[in-house]
Amino acid sequence: MGCVNQVQILILLSLSSLFFSSSTAQNFKCNTPGKCSALVGYAPHNITSLSDILNLFNIKNLRDVLGANNLPLTTPKNYTVEAKNTIKIPISCRCSNGTGVSDNPPVYTVKKNDTLYLIASEVFSGVVVYKKIVEANKIPNENLIDIGQNLTIPLPCSCDDVDGDKVVHYAHVVQSGSTLKSIAKEFGTDEDTLKKINDIADDSKLFADQPIDVPLKACSSSIKSESLDNGLRVANGTYVFTANNCEKCTCDYASSPTLQCEQTQLKLATCPNPSNIASRIGSRWSFLFISSIHLIPLFLYLFQ
């Protein structure tokens, strides 16, 4: 009888710990006006494809995901992603009442046998906790959801600088056995920074299968403030497309904290052919082109 009671107590303690950690997940602090780019880490529980991941997170452009993971542009949509392999998902973030919120969050349609906990922990692999889904959708009874019901999935993010440094915030799902020290080492930051931005005193407050805010070193644009690309930040070791996908900008933070941009090799109708105009604008091509997505400065220059 004593053994049975001990087992029951252990089960209750485990369940209460799970409930406590799920219901007290920290918000990602965010107080910077405007929008920014952020990343979330998605490690599927089962084998899947980039196409399925794009659909799950409502991402329209495959190139956005390829750049965030530094994958070759030739990578197809049906590229296989093995179970537990992390794919970084690029999202747009904004600050609201001191908390980061995904600006265009994915919408998930409830299926048979779904629960909010299963949706958060299995479908989205812990990058969001179920209590946040309850809050975002104003669900009165978290045990009652309907098949076919559309749920907004609020992905955690932030736009804040960290100790004066421009960073890209990454929502990293904590793995069992991880420590603040191991996470800091993996992502090139330090324990004190992780403690500060996550309000975590020590490893005892670090819960497995929940997201933690990790600031990644980032490169920024050096173009003029009036440009639509001003404020662009790109995480170290990744690339993005800008200027209507006509410019590819890469971040190699060890070499320079400034984005290195070049004309893309994509053959798009919206991209002028520099070989036809290079003789007229020479080295001023790159600056004029990236300085405006609408190419107005370029055309003004050509026809003045």
mmCIF file of all heavy atoms in Angstrom, residues 225-262:
data_model
loop_
_atom_site.group_PDB
_atom_site.id
_atom_site.type_symbol
_atom_site.label_atom_id
_atom_site.label_comp_id
_atom_site.label_asym_id
_atom_site.label_seq_id
_atom_site.Cartn_x
_atom_site.Cartn_y
_atom_site.Cartn_z
ATOM 1 N N SER A 225 18.585 56.208 -43.652
ATOM 2 C CA SER A 225 17.421 56.010 -42.793
ATOM 3 C C SER A 225 16.106 56.087 -43.551
ATOM 4 O O SER A 225 15.108 55.524 -43.118
ATOM 5 C CB SER A 225 17.422 57.043 -41.663
ATOM 6 O OG SER A 225 17.402 58.354 -42.193
ATOM 7 N N GLU A 226 16.071 56.792 -44.706
ATOM 8 C CA GLU A 226 14.809 56.904 -45.438
ATOM 9 C C GLU A 226 14.498 55.654 -46.256
ATOM 10 O O GLU A 226 13.407 55.518 -46.808
ATOM 11 C CB GLU A 226 14.823 58.127 -46.365
ATOM 12 C CG GLU A 226 15.895 58.103 -47.443
ATOM 13 C CD GLU A 226 17.161 58.822 -46.994
ATOM 14 O OE1 GLU A 226 17.362 58.943 -45.769
ATOM 15 O OE2 GLU A 226 17.931 59.254 -47.867
ATOM 16 N N SER A 227 15.428 54.731 -46.364
ATOM 17 C CA SER A 227 15.198 53.517 -47.130
ATOM 18 C C SER A 227 14.249 52.581 -46.401
ATOM 19 O O SER A 227 14.225 52.512 -45.173
ATOM 20 C CB SER A 227 16.523 52.793 -47.375
ATOM 21 O OG SER A 227 16.289 51.486 -47.844
ATOM 22 N N LEU A 228 13.474 51.826 -47.178
ATOM 23 C CA LEU A 228 12.579 50.840 -46.589
ATOM 24 C C LEU A 228 13.356 49.696 -45.956
ATOM 25 O O LEU A 228 12.811 48.943 -45.157
ATOM 26 C CB LEU A 228 11.626 50.294 -47.660
ATOM 27 C CG LEU A 228 10.639 51.299 -48.252
ATOM 28 C CD1 LEU A 228 9.771 50.632 -49.305
ATOM 29 C CD2 LEU A 228 9.771 51.918 -47.169
ATOM 30 N N ASP A 229 14.624 49.538 -46.316
ATOM 31 C CA ASP A 229 15.442 48.478 -45.745
ATOM 32 C C ASP A 229 16.184 48.925 -44.489
ATOM 33 O O ASP A 229 16.899 48.142 -43.883
ATOM 34 C CB ASP A 229 16.470 47.984 -46.771
ATOM 35 C CG ASP A 229 15.827 47.137 -47.848
ATOM 36 O OD1 ASP A 229 14.803 46.515 -47.539
ATOM 37 O OD2 ASP A 229 16.329 47.117 -48.974
ATOM 38 N N ASN A 230 16.034 50.179 -44.117
ATOM 39 C CA ASN A 230 16.710 50.652 -42.922
ATOM 40 C C ASN A 230 16.208 49.881 -41.705
ATOM 41 O O ASN A 230 15.008 49.656 -41.542
ATOM 42 C CB ASN A 230 16.449 52.145 -42.722
ATOM 43 C CG ASN A 230 17.123 52.671 -41.468
ATOM 44 O OD1 ASN A 230 16.462 52.919 -40.467
ATOM 45 N ND2 ASN A 230 18.433 52.813 -41.524
ATOM 46 N N GLY A 231 17.126 49.478 -40.845
ATOM 47 C CA GLY A 231 16.741 48.714 -39.666
ATOM 48 C C GLY A 231 16.733 47.215 -39.889
ATOM 49 O O GLY A 231 16.471 46.455 -38.957
ATOM 50 N N LEU A 232 17.019 46.786 -41.112
ATOM 51 C CA LEU A 232 17.056 45.359 -41.407
ATOM 52 C C LEU A 232 18.148 44.678 -40.586
ATOM 53 O O LEU A 232 19.290 45.125 -40.564
ATOM 54 C CB LEU A 232 17.321 45.148 -42.899
ATOM 55 C CG LEU A 232 17.455 43.703 -43.388
ATOM 56 C CD1 LEU A 232 16.134 42.960 -43.230
ATOM 57 C CD2 LEU A 232 17.897 43.682 -44.849
ATOM 58 N N ARG A 233 17.786 43.597 -39.901
ATOM 59 C CA ARG A 233 18.745 42.814 -39.127
ATOM 60 C C ARG A 233 18.694 41.365 -39.590
ATOM 61 O O ARG A 233 17.618 40.821 -39.817
ATOM 62 C CB ARG A 233 18.440 42.881 -37.633
ATOM 63 C CG ARG A 233 18.498 44.268 -37.045
ATOM 64 C CD ARG A 233 18.248 44.237 -35.554
ATOM 65 N NE ARG A 233 18.109 45.575 -35.001
ATOM 66 C CZ ARG A 233 17.928 45.842 -33.721
ATOM 67 N NH1 ARG A 233 17.865 44.831 -32.851
ATOM 68 N NH2 ARG A 233 17.806 47.078 -33.297
ATOM 69 N N VAL A 234 19.863 40.767 -39.699
ATOM 70 C CA VAL A 234 19.954 39.391 -40.172
ATOM 71 C C VAL A 234 20.850 38.616 -39.214
ATOM 72 O O VAL A 234 21.957 39.057 -38.892
ATOM 73 C CB VAL A 234 20.525 39.335 -41.605
ATOM 74 C CG1 VAL A 234 20.622 37.896 -42.087
ATOM 75 C CG2 VAL A 234 19.654 40.157 -42.554
ATOM 76 N N ALA A 235 20.375 37.478 -38.741
ATOM 77 C CA ALA A 235 21.128 36.681 -37.780
ATOM 78 C C ALA A 235 22.420 36.157 -38.391
ATOM 79 O O ALA A 235 22.490 35.869 -39.596
ATOM 80 C CB ALA A 235 20.275 35.515 -37.282
ATOM 81 N N ASN A 236 23.430 36.036 -37.565
ATOM 82 C CA ASN A 236 24.726 35.542 -38.014
ATOM 83 C C ASN A 236 24.591 34.171 -38.675
ATOM 84 O O ASN A 236 23.885 33.288 -38.193
ATOM 85 C CB ASN A 236 25.673 35.438 -36.814
ATOM 86 C CG ASN A 236 27.073 35.033 -37.226
ATOM 87 O OD1 ASN A 236 27.586 35.491 -38.242
ATOM 88 N ND2 ASN A 236 27.692 34.175 -36.429
ATOM 89 N N GLY A 237 25.274 34.015 -39.817
ATOM 90 C CA GLY A 237 25.253 32.732 -40.514
ATOM 91 C C GLY A 237 24.017 32.496 -41.349
ATOM 92 O O GLY A 237 23.765 31.366 -41.776
ATOM 93 N N THR A 238 23.240 33.550 -41.607
ATOM 94 C CA THR A 238 22.031 33.406 -42.425
ATOM 95 C C THR A 238 22.025 34.475 -43.513
ATOM 96 O O THR A 238 22.887 35.348 -43.558
ATOM 97 C CB THR A 238 20.753 33.536 -41.574
ATOM 98 O OG1 THR A 238 20.600 34.899 -41.128
ATOM 99 C CG2 THR A 238 20.813 32.623 -40.354
ATOM 100 N N TYR A 239 21.026 34.406 -44.384
ATOM 101 C CA TYR A 239 20.887 35.420 -45.427
ATOM 102 C C TYR A 239 19.413 35.728 -45.646
ATOM 103 O O TYR A 239 18.528 34.956 -45.259
ATOM 104 C CB TYR A 239 21.540 34.965 -46.741
ATOM 105 C CG TYR A 239 20.925 33.741 -47.391
ATOM 106 C CD1 TYR A 239 19.818 33.844 -48.237
ATOM 107 C CD2 TYR A 239 21.460 32.467 -47.182
ATOM 108 C CE1 TYR A 239 19.263 32.730 -48.845
ATOM 109 C CE2 TYR A 239 20.913 31.347 -47.785
ATOM 110 C CZ TYR A 239 19.813 31.479 -48.616
ATOM 111 O OH TYR A 239 19.258 30.368 -49.211
ATOM 112 N N VAL A 240 19.149 36.882 -46.249
ATOM 113 C CA VAL A 240 17.785 37.270 -46.601
ATOM 114 C C VAL A 240 17.804 37.889 -47.992
ATOM 115 O O VAL A 240 18.850 38.308 -48.491
ATOM 116 C CB VAL A 240 17.178 38.292 -45.608
ATOM 117 C CG1 VAL A 240 17.070 37.710 -44.217
ATOM 118 C CG2 VAL A 240 17.985 39.586 -45.601
ATOM 119 N N PHE A 241 16.623 37.952 -48.589
ATOM 120 C CA PHE A 241 16.458 38.673 -49.843
ATOM 121 C C PHE A 241 15.715 39.967 -49.554
ATOM 122 O O PHE A 241 14.780 40.000 -48.748
ATOM 123 C CB PHE A 241 15.679 37.832 -50.853
ATOM 124 C CG PHE A 241 16.497 36.720 -51.436
ATOM 125 C CD1 PHE A 241 16.506 35.470 -50.847
ATOM 126 C CD2 PHE A 241 17.274 36.929 -52.561
ATOM 127 C CE1 PHE A 241 17.273 34.443 -51.362
ATOM 128 C CE2 PHE A 241 18.048 35.914 -53.090
ATOM 129 C CZ PHE A 241 18.048 34.666 -52.490
ATOM 130 N N THR A 242 16.144 41.029 -50.211
ATOM 131 C CA THR A 242 15.505 42.320 -50.021
ATOM 132 C C THR A 242 15.396 43.013 -51.375
ATOM 133 O O THR A 242 15.782 42.446 -52.401
ATOM 134 C CB THR A 242 16.307 43.177 -49.018
ATOM 135 O OG1 THR A 242 15.595 44.383 -48.752
ATOM 136 C CG2 THR A 242 17.690 43.495 -49.545
ATOM 137 N N ALA A 243 14.859 44.233 -51.382
ATOM 138 C CA ALA A 243 14.680 44.983 -52.629
ATOM 139 C C ALA A 243 13.938 44.146 -53.662
ATOM 140 O O ALA A 243 14.439 43.874 -54.756
ATOM 141 C CB ALA A 243 16.027 45.459 -53.176
ATOM 142 N N ASN A 244 12.726 43.723 -53.280
ATOM 143 C CA ASN A 244 11.900 42.897 -54.175
ATOM 144 C C ASN A 244 12.609 41.620 -54.611
ATOM 145 O O ASN A 244 12.490 41.188 -55.758
ATOM 146 C CB ASN A 244 11.469 43.695 -55.407
ATOM 147 C CG ASN A 244 10.240 44.539 -55.138
ATOM 148 O OD1 ASN A 244 9.645 44.442 -54.072
ATOM 149 N ND2 ASN A 244 9.864 45.359 -56.095
ATOM 150 N N ASN A 245 13.372 41.037 -53.691
ATOM 151 C CA ASN A 245 14.096 39.786 -53.935
ATOM 152 C C ASN A 245 15.222 39.937 -54.955
ATOM 153 O O ASN A 245 15.716 38.939 -55.487
ATOM 154 C CB ASN A 245 13.140 38.672 -54.406
ATOM 155 C CG ASN A 245 12.186 38.249 -53.317
ATOM 156 O OD1 ASN A 245 12.597 37.989 -52.188
ATOM 157 N ND2 ASN A 245 10.903 38.191 -53.640
ATOM 158 N N CYS A 246 15.634 41.164 -55.215
ATOM 159 C CA CYS A 246 16.697 41.398 -56.187
ATOM 160 C C CYS A 246 18.075 41.485 -55.544
ATOM 161 O O CYS A 246 19.083 41.467 -56.242
ATOM 162 C CB CYS A 246 16.418 42.678 -56.971
ATOM 163 S SG CYS A 246 14.872 42.606 -57.913
ATOM 164 N N GLU A 247 18.125 41.618 -54.223
ATOM 165 C CA GLU A 247 19.391 41.670 -53.506
ATOM 166 C C GLU A 247 19.426 40.582 -52.444
ATOM 167 O O GLU A 247 18.445 40.370 -51.723
ATOM 168 C CB GLU A 247 19.577 43.036 -52.830
ATOM 169 C CG GLU A 247 19.893 44.174 -53.780
ATOM 170 C CD GLU A 247 21.377 44.259 -54.111
ATOM 171 O OE1 GLU A 247 22.191 43.875 -53.256
ATOM 172 O OE2 GLU A 247 21.712 44.709 -55.212
ATOM 173 N N LYS A 248 20.540 39.893 -52.354
ATOM 174 C CA LYS A 248 20.761 38.889 -51.318
ATOM 175 C C LYS A 248 21.759 39.455 -50.311
ATOM 176 O O LYS A 248 22.872 39.825 -50.672
ATOM 177 C CB LYS A 248 21.309 37.596 -51.929
ATOM 178 C CG LYS A 248 21.606 36.504 -50.909
ATOM 179 C CD LYS A 248 22.233 35.287 -51.583
ATOM 180 C CE LYS A 248 22.595 34.210 -50.572
ATOM 181 N NZ LYS A 248 23.279 33.060 -51.212
ATOM 182 N N CYS A 249 21.336 39.535 -49.048
ATOM 183 C CA CYS A 249 22.183 40.097 -48.005
ATOM 184 C C CYS A 249 22.543 39.014 -46.996
ATOM 185 O O CYS A 249 21.662 38.330 -46.466
ATOM 186 C CB CYS A 249 21.477 41.248 -47.297
ATOM 187 S SG CYS A 249 21.159 42.674 -48.373
ATOM 188 N N THR A 250 23.831 38.875 -46.730
ATOM 189 C CA THR A 250 24.351 37.811 -45.881
ATOM 190 C C THR A 250 25.021 38.395 -44.646
ATOM 191 O O THR A 250 25.643 39.455 -44.705
ATOM 192 C CB THR A 250 25.375 36.966 -46.664
ATOM 193 O OG1 THR A 250 24.747 36.446 -47.841
ATOM 194 C CG2 THR A 250 25.892 35.808 -45.823
ATOM 195 N N CYS A 251 24.895 37.678 -43.524
ATOM 196 C CA CYS A 251 25.554 38.101 -42.291
ATOM 197 C C CYS A 251 26.670 37.133 -41.926
ATOM 198 O O CYS A 251 26.420 35.951 -41.682
ATOM 199 C CB CYS A 251 24.556 38.184 -41.139
ATOM 200 S SG CYS A 251 25.329 38.605 -39.542
ATOM 201 N N ASP A 252 27.885 37.652 -41.904
ATOM 202 C CA ASP A 252 29.046 36.930 -41.386
ATOM 203 C C ASP A 252 29.630 37.821 -40.298
ATOM 204 O O ASP A 252 30.528 38.621 -40.541
ATOM 205 C CB ASP A 252 30.056 36.671 -42.500
ATOM 206 C CG ASP A 252 31.282 35.903 -42.003
ATOM 207 O OD1 ASP A 252 31.312 35.540 -40.805
ATOM 208 O OD2 ASP A 252 32.208 35.686 -42.799
ATOM 209 N N TYR A 253 29.076 37.692 -39.103
ATOM 210 C CA TYR A 253 29.368 38.642 -38.027
ATOM 211 C C TYR A 253 30.852 38.687 -37.675
ATOM 212 O O TYR A 253 31.379 39.738 -37.316
ATOM 213 C CB TYR A 253 28.546 38.290 -36.790
ATOM 214 C CG TYR A 253 28.574 39.355 -35.717
ATOM 215 C CD1 TYR A 253 27.679 40.420 -35.747
ATOM 216 C CD2 TYR A 253 29.497 39.299 -34.677
ATOM 217 C CE1 TYR A 253 27.699 41.408 -34.776
ATOM 218 C CE2 TYR A 253 29.524 40.283 -33.696
ATOM 219 C CZ TYR A 253 28.630 41.332 -33.751
ATOM 220 O OH TYR A 253 28.661 42.306 -32.790
ATOM 221 N N ALA A 254 31.528 37.548 -37.782
ATOM 222 C CA ALA A 254 32.950 37.508 -37.445
ATOM 223 C C ALA A 254 33.765 38.404 -38.373
ATOM 224 O O ALA A 254 34.781 38.980 -37.970
ATOM 225 C CB ALA A 254 33.468 36.076 -37.516
ATOM 226 N N SER A 255 33.310 38.541 -39.611
ATOM 227 C CA SER A 255 34.015 39.386 -40.578
ATOM 228 C C SER A 255 33.597 40.841 -40.466
ATOM 229 O O SER A 255 34.423 41.749 -40.531
ATOM 230 C CB SER A 255 33.755 38.889 -42.003
ATOM 231 O OG SER A 255 34.237 37.571 -42.172
ATOM 232 N N SER A 256 32.275 41.050 -40.300
ATOM 233 C CA SER A 256 31.764 42.421 -40.213
ATOM 234 C C SER A 256 30.336 42.401 -39.690
ATOM 235 O O SER A 256 29.543 41.537 -40.084
ATOM 236 C CB SER A 256 31.793 43.087 -41.590
ATOM 237 O OG SER A 256 31.120 44.335 -41.554
ATOM 238 N N PRO A 257 29.972 43.357 -38.822
ATOM 239 C CA PRO A 257 28.589 43.450 -38.347
ATOM 240 C C PRO A 257 27.666 44.140 -39.350
ATOM 241 O O PRO A 257 26.487 44.323 -39.079
ATOM 242 C CB PRO A 257 28.723 44.279 -37.067
ATOM 243 C CG PRO A 257 29.916 45.137 -37.311
ATOM 244 C CD PRO A 257 30.860 44.310 -38.133
ATOM 245 N N THR A 258 28.229 44.517 -40.499
ATOM 246 C CA THR A 258 27.437 45.148 -41.550
ATOM 247 C C THR A 258 27.039 44.108 -42.588
ATOM 248 O O THR A 258 27.856 43.284 -42.999
ATOM 249 C CB THR A 258 28.233 46.271 -42.239
ATOM 250 O OG1 THR A 258 28.596 47.251 -41.263
ATOM 251 C CG2 THR A 258 27.402 46.932 -43.332
ATOM 252 N N LEU A 259 25.789 44.141 -43.004
ATOM 253 C CA LEU A 259 25.311 43.201 -44.011
ATOM 254 C C LEU A 259 26.115 43.312 -45.299
ATOM 255 O O LEU A 259 26.431 44.412 -45.751
ATOM 256 C CB LEU A 259 23.837 43.469 -44.322
ATOM 257 C CG LEU A 259 22.809 42.914 -43.342
ATOM 258 C CD1 LEU A 259 21.421 43.433 -43.697
ATOM 259 C CD2 LEU A 259 22.824 41.404 -43.348
ATOM 260 N N GLN A 260 26.433 42.174 -45.879
ATOM 261 C CA GLN A 260 27.115 42.128 -47.163
ATOM 262 C C GLN A 260 26.084 41.762 -48.229
ATOM 263 O O GLN A 260 25.539 40.657 -48.215
ATOM 264 C CB GLN A 260 28.249 41.102 -47.123
ATOM 265 C CG GLN A 260 29.264 41.357 -46.019
ATOM 266 C CD GLN A 260 29.916 42.724 -46.125
ATOM 267 O OE1 GLN A 260 30.439 43.098 -47.178
ATOM 268 N NE2 GLN A 260 29.878 43.488 -45.037
ATOM 269 N N CYS A 261 25.802 42.694 -49.129
ATOM 270 C CA CYS A 261 24.723 42.501 -50.099
ATOM 271 C C CYS A 261 25.262 42.459 -51.526
ATOM 272 O O CYS A 261 26.230 43.144 -51.865
ATOM 273 C CB CYS A 261 23.691 43.618 -49.972
ATOM 274 S SG CYS A 261 22.907 43.707 -48.340
ATOM 275 N N GLU A 262 24.614 41.659 -52.324
ATOM 276 C CA GLU A 262 24.970 41.539 -53.732
ATOM 277 C C GLU A 262 23.719 41.245 -54.535
ATOM 278 O O GLU A 262 22.706 40.795 -53.991
ATOM 279 C CB GLU A 262 25.992 40.417 -53.933
ATOM 280 C CG GLU A 262 25.474 39.047 -53.517
ATOM 281 C CD GLU A 262 26.518 37.956 -53.648
ATOM 282 O OE1 GLU A 262 27.660 38.275 -54.005
ATOM 283 O OE2 GLU A 262 26.175 36.791 -53.395
#
